[in-house]
Amino acid sequence: MIICQLAGFLGSGKTTLLVRLGSELSKAGKKVAIIVNEVGEIGVDGAVIDSYGLKSVEITEGCICCSLSGSLQNTLRAITREYKPDIIMIEPTGIALPSIVSKLVRTSMVGEERMYTICLIDAFRALKLFKEANLFVSRQIAGADIVAVNKIDLVDDDVKEKVAQMIGEMSPQSKLVFISAKTGDGVAPLVKLLEEG
Ligand SMILES: Nc1nc2c(ncn2[C@@H]2O[C@H](COP(=O)(O)OP(=O)(O)OP(=O)(O)O)[C@@H](O)[C@H]2O)c(=O)[nH]1
Ligand SMILES: [Mg+2]
């Protein structure tokens, strides 16, 4: 089993990518389960995901990296036991720290699964965000296996280069990919990674 965390700041495109990857993977015959965390009570994203026919569980009214860490662990165990998916994708809130979520996942599972953390960066807002919330963004992307610069349909090459350079400085060990979750551009390698493990 593969567990993939799709992290990233508010509005970076997590749900859009989740739906795209989930649909592609289920078309390829994989059984996909999705865990979405929303701080509010009304789970809008869960409803969107369900409309694509993907199995999803929502954890609401708190954050899975802090007050609801036990819920995340219980949900992971229950999904694994009852649904036996090939792939579980987790969308934390936009203000969660992926490294904390990864640690929780690792301590809840038996150890036979592979875990990937993909952190999304909104290319259109990245330079502004790096300026205004540099410390938080660098903590969010630090240690991600893959940093996916999303919404490349909205920016030119000059911005792409600047964003890539800054990410390289913040998390040099992360693999960098450029995608548009909306058009599907650049997403194929991520599908392949999750398909093959
Ligand atoms: N142009 C463009 N828009 C995108 C892309 N990916 C996502 N969006 C848009 O960006 C907005 C936010 O996308 P979501 O997928 O909801 O982002 P999110 O990270 O799940 O947001 P939260 O869960 O609220 O933090 C939506 O209006 C999407 O349609 C992209 O690649 N290009
Ligand atoms: Mg979302």
Side-chain angles (χ1 to χ4, degrees):
M1 190 170 75
I2 292 172
I3 301 178
C4 175
Q5 177 183 188
L6 271 183
F9 198 63
L10 302 163
S12 55
K14 301 180 290 296
T15 305
T16 310
L17 182 62
L18 200 73
V19 166
R20 185 172 281 280
L21 291 176
S23 318
E24 294 282 326
L25 290 164
S26 38
K27 256 189 267 165
K30 298 287 181 187
K31 212 165 158 188
V32 183
I34 289 168
I35 300 174
V36 190
N37 180 211
E38 298 205 62
V39 186
E41 280 179 51
I42 305 164
V44 179
D45 282 356
V48 172
I49 291 163
D50 284 346
S51 72
Y52 285 83
L54 299 166
K55 163 91 181 162
S56 82
V57 178
E58 281 175 83
I59 301 175
T60 55
E61 293 177 70
C63 176
I64 51 169
C65 86
C66 29
S67 63
L68 295 182
S69 57
S71 301
L72 173 63
Q73 295 182 307
N74 291 338
T75 304
L76 275 169
R77 293 193 193 106
I79 286 187
T80 307
R81 194 175 53 235
E82 286 154 28
Y83 189 64
K84 298 185 178 57
D86 299 306
I87 300 157
I88 300 179
M89 293 201 275
I90 304 172
E91 178 184 343
T93 69
I95 48 169
L97 286 175
S99 55
I100 298 182
V101 176
S102 303
K103 211 177 281 170
L104 286 166
V105 171
R106 267 188 241 111
T107 53
S108 352
M109 307 305 285
V110 289
E112 281 163 24
E113 47 294 298
R114 261 152 306 171
M115 161 124 207
Y116 297 104
T117 297
I118 301 175
C119 186
L120 283 163
I121 293 282
D122 178 340
F124 188 68
R125 293 193 299 171
L127 296 174
K128 191 163 180 277
L129 194 66
F130 290 164
K131 224 182 264 170
E132 289 171 2
N134 189 280
L135 186 63
F136 178 74
V137 179
S138 39
R139 284 187 73 191
Q140 219 175 24
I141 63 175
D145 299 301
I146 298 172
V147 176
V149 179
N150 187 32
K151 309 195 188 181
I152 51 160
D153 54 303
L154 298 179
V155 299
D156 57 28
D157 287 348
D158 188 39
V159 173
K160 264 166 71 174
E161 249 168 62
K162 279 193 195 130
V163 172
Q165 193 197 338
M166 294 192 73
I167 293 169
E169 285 164 15
M170 288 179 194
S171 187
Q173 77 284 12
S174 304
K175 184 177 156 50
L176 197 64
V177 297
F178 293 93
I179 64 164
S180 169
K182 194 171 188 174
T183 65
D185 203 14
V187 172
L190 298 179
V191 177
K192 194 159 175 255
L193 174 78
L194 298 179
E195 215 181 320
E196 294 170 3

